[in-house]
Amino acid sequence: WKKSDLTNLNDAISKNKPFLMRIYLVGFMGSGKTTFGRKLAQKLGYAFADLDERLTAYTGKTIPELFTNLGEAGFRKLEQEVLHQTITDADLVVSTGGGTPCFFDNMAWMNTNGKTVYMHLDAKALANRLEHAKSPRPLLAGRKGEELLTFIEEKLAERQVFYQQANMMVSGIDLTPEKLLIYLEAAQVR
């Protein structure tokens, strides 16, 4: 984040007008990207896009159907195509899929074409959220309890190298748009 980005963002919020940029929220499934993204977009007066919802609208199929029909490799290629379509939106908060940053050059592309925020949660918090989630996640395939926790720990360890390339890392616990703005200000002081 450049100092001018923060100044312009705060100015836009205080004047209740949009500051044009794309903000990509990254992190493991269940970290709260979609819920937080909707709140952040509303606070900033931006549009909101959930990448999974865009994939579903683009194909007419659910995420589990896409995984089943295309396999993970085919799904990730389609996901990249839909991610690249966000370039046409200037004032947008995007909730990415948990694996989005980990394939192709997606993380570098998001860093080049917007600002990235990694919403971090530890494996136990993620397992708790995901075990009680309303919608099924294809990669979890019925895992529960210790098996779910072990899977998350392993997958999170694989993905950290990508997530940590984000412009900013924040805790996903009790995150609010106001807190994110405070974190942005603090990051500019250093």
Side-chain angles (χ1 to χ4, degrees):
W1 297 80
K2 295 180 285 195
K3 183 71 170 173
S4 61
D5 289 340
L6 180 62
T7 302
N8 292 339
L9 183 59
N10 283 332
D11 184 53
I13 291 168
S14 68
K15 293 179 180 170
N16 199 24
K17 66 177 188 178
F19 169 64
L20 303 180
M21 74 160 45
R22 283 174 295 282
I23 299 173
Y24 295 96
L25 302 176
V26 301
F28 203 79
M29 66 181 103
S31 62
K33 299 180 300 285
T34 299
T35 301
F36 177 75
R38 289 185 201 285
K39 292 176 184 175
L40 180 62
Q42 183 177 12
K43 173 80 175 168
L44 295 173
Y46 283 20
F48 172 75
D50 178 283
L51 208 56
D52 285 350
E53 289 174 7
R54 283 205 174 180
L55 271 163
T56 299
Y58 185 66
T59 62
K61 298 186 186 308
T62 67
I63 299 302
E65 287 172 333
L66 291 170
F67 260 88
T68 299
N69 295 341
L70 303 173
E72 187 172 12
F75 172 82
R76 295 302 178 187
K77 188 65 184 155
L78 184 61
E79 179 182 54
Q80 181 188 42
E81 184 179 327
V82 173
L83 173 67
H84 285 193
Q85 292 172 6
T86 64
I87 194 72
T88 62
D89 300 300
D91 50 349
L92 182 67
V93 174
V94 180
S95 170
T96 65
T100 305
C102 310
F103 291 86
F104 311 110
D105 66 343
N106 290 347
M107 195 66 203
W109 187 89
M110 288 185 286
N111 281 332
T112 299
N113 293 287
K115 303 298 180 186
T116 53
V117 177
Y118 169 29
M119 294 179 59
H120 177 266
L121 283 176
D122 66 33
K124 285 185 181 181
L126 289 165
N128 185 49
R129 285 184 179 189
L130 290 167
E131 192 152 19
H132 301 97
K134 294 176 187 169
S135 57
R137 311 287 179 131
L139 287 178
L140 299 182
R143 293 178 173 94
K144 295 186 185 295
E146 284 301 314
E147 181 186 5
L148 175 62
L149 180 59
T150 300
F151 175 82
I152 291 170
E153 288 170 341
E154 291 170 359
K155 198 56 102 170
L156 197 54
E158 291 172 17
R159 292 179 174 184
Q160 282 294 1
V161 67
F162 299 100
Y163 294 157
Q164 291 176 344
Q165 293 173 34
N167 300 125
M168 170 165 286
M169 181 173 124
V170 296
S171 171
I173 301 287
D174 299 326
L175 184 64
T176 65
E178 294 79 12
K179 284 182 184 178
L180 181 58
L181 292 175
I182 291 168
Y183 297 150
L184 293 172
E185 283 186 34
Q188 294 304 314
V189 174
R190 287 191 255 150

